[in-house]
Amino acid sequence: MANYVIQATESTIKRMEQYYNSYITGHLPAGALFVAKKNGCTITAYRSGKVLFQGKEAEKEAQIWSIPASQQPTLKEQNTRSSRLSIVSAVGSDEVGTGDYFGPIVVVAAYVAKEQISSLAKMGVKDSKQLTDEAICRLAPLLMEKIEYEQAVLSNHTYNQWQQNGMPQTKIKALLHNEAIKKLVQKLAPASPEAIIIDQFIERDRYFLYLEGERHVIRDHVYCIPKAETVHIAVAAASIIARYLFLHEMDKLSEQMGMNLPKGAGEHVDRAAASLIQTHGEASLEACAKLHFANTEKAKQIAMKFK
């Protein structure tokens, strides 16, 4: 049995846990954060930062996460790049809905020309997570009139099909980002953005690895940057519009299901899902929820208690 060990950062291990979410097993050896089994490979992540890959696919799986230190940019190089990118005409791309049990995933790509950067900043454009939903509902329509944008919305039904067929959420997000960016680049032609900045949910190499086999992949001037909304205002604009569209999708789903569907994935969501099961049956969740979330089983248990 082949064994490979890599040393990963805390943020990388968190992304790995999300990536392998549907493959995680219940047994944990001492010091382990999670164990996953995928396609003949067992992946064990430890609190020390070490990640062990075992099995016939160990080398292939480990290579997804291995980035030689010689290829990693220095802090100075990162700061220089961010400073340069912040003042160019750019497309920013961000997503919402990935952590919400109810509702679709919405990705928006937004284009901000360098001449628009100052005026958008004066409008109060910043990361949507720093704004209330009420503020977003006031700001987004103004923003949508001012800049070019495109969206990719993945329904819960399709999301569940893809997930049940073994597609990890990170690949789903890669496909949606490429789709929104592709539509926007086509709309902007013959003009071309100087940069395309994705709020990083995955390293750039792995982003393109997930897009292998797709007919039209946007590759030129693409950057995957953590906290990208602090690098270019186009990403912040995309996050605001994406949140606004997500809220509208949630309103439509709530009307369809005959009850207010809460955001997030906490206990209040468990109770709402249980209510749906009691009223419309378990199958109703397929159209409005991400079924692989732990909320599904919790909701079933709550619904059983009140039968």
Side-chain angles (χ1 to χ4, degrees), residues 25-232:
T25 67
H27 176 69
L28 286 179
L33 293 169
F34 71 85
V35 176
K37 293 188 177 182
K38 174 178 179 278
N39 299 336
C41 179
T42 299
I43 305 99
T44 307
Y46 292 91
R47 292 187 179 89
S48 63
K50 289 185 178 180
V51 183
L52 172 64
F53 298 82
Q54 298 172 290
K56 60 181 181 180
E57 298 293 330
E59 181 176 10
K60 180 180 178 181
E61 201 68 28
Q63 284 177 346
I64 295 175
W65 304 95
S66 299
I67 303 176
S70 60
Q71 295 179 15
Q72 297 178 2
T74 65
L75 181 60
K76 181 179 179 180
E77 288 171 336
Q78 292 179 44
N79 291 337
T80 301
R81 178 189 64 182
S82 296
S83 178
R84 176 176 59 83
L85 289 177
S86 68
I87 57 174
V88 303
S89 297
V91 167
S93 190
D94 202 359
E95 83 281 337
V96 299
T98 57
D100 293 272
Y101 178 64
F102 290 118
I105 295 178
V106 179
V107 173
V108 166
Y111 175 70
V112 176
K114 61 181 71 174
E115 298 81 11
Q116 296 175 301
I117 292 174
S118 177
S119 64
L120 262 60
K122 290 176 182 177
M123 286 174 62
V125 174
K126 55 185 176 181
D127 183 19
S128 64
K129 291 186 286 295
Q130 298 179 28
L131 298 170
T132 65
D133 286 345
E134 291 75 15
I136 285 172
C137 289
R138 290 193 302 270
L139 181 58
L142 301 174
L143 196 53
M144 292 159 75
E145 290 182 0
K146 195 176 182 69
I147 64 174
E148 297 287 354
Y149 70 94
E150 283 291 342
Q151 66 200 58
V153 180
L154 185 68
S155 70
N156 291 97
H157 177 73
T158 303
Y159 176 90
N160 289 322
Q161 285 185 326
W162 288 5
Q163 194 278 328
Q164 288 162 9
N165 287 332
M167 187 182 295
Q169 195 184 82
T170 39
K171 178 168 184 176
I172 291 173
K173 290 195 283 188
L175 293 171
L176 295 176
H177 275 274
N178 183 66
E179 179 64 20
I181 292 167
K182 175 182 68 176
K183 290 192 294 185
L184 182 55
V185 168
Q186 290 171 345
K187 178 190 283 188
L188 295 172
S192 179
E194 296 173 73
I196 297 171
I197 305 169
I198 300 171
D199 190 34
Q200 182 174 296
F201 60 91
I202 194 173
E203 287 83 1
R204 185 178 185 276
D205 289 346
R206 288 183 55 233
Y207 171 76
F208 286 115
L209 183 64
Y210 277 138
L211 296 176
E212 284 185 359
E214 293 301 304
R215 292 181 61 185
H216 189 179
V217 177
I218 303 298
R219 298 180 180 276
D220 292 341
H221 312 300
V222 172
Y223 301 85
C224 296
I225 302 177
K227 299 182 179 178
E229 71 282 351
T230 66
V231 173
H232 200 288

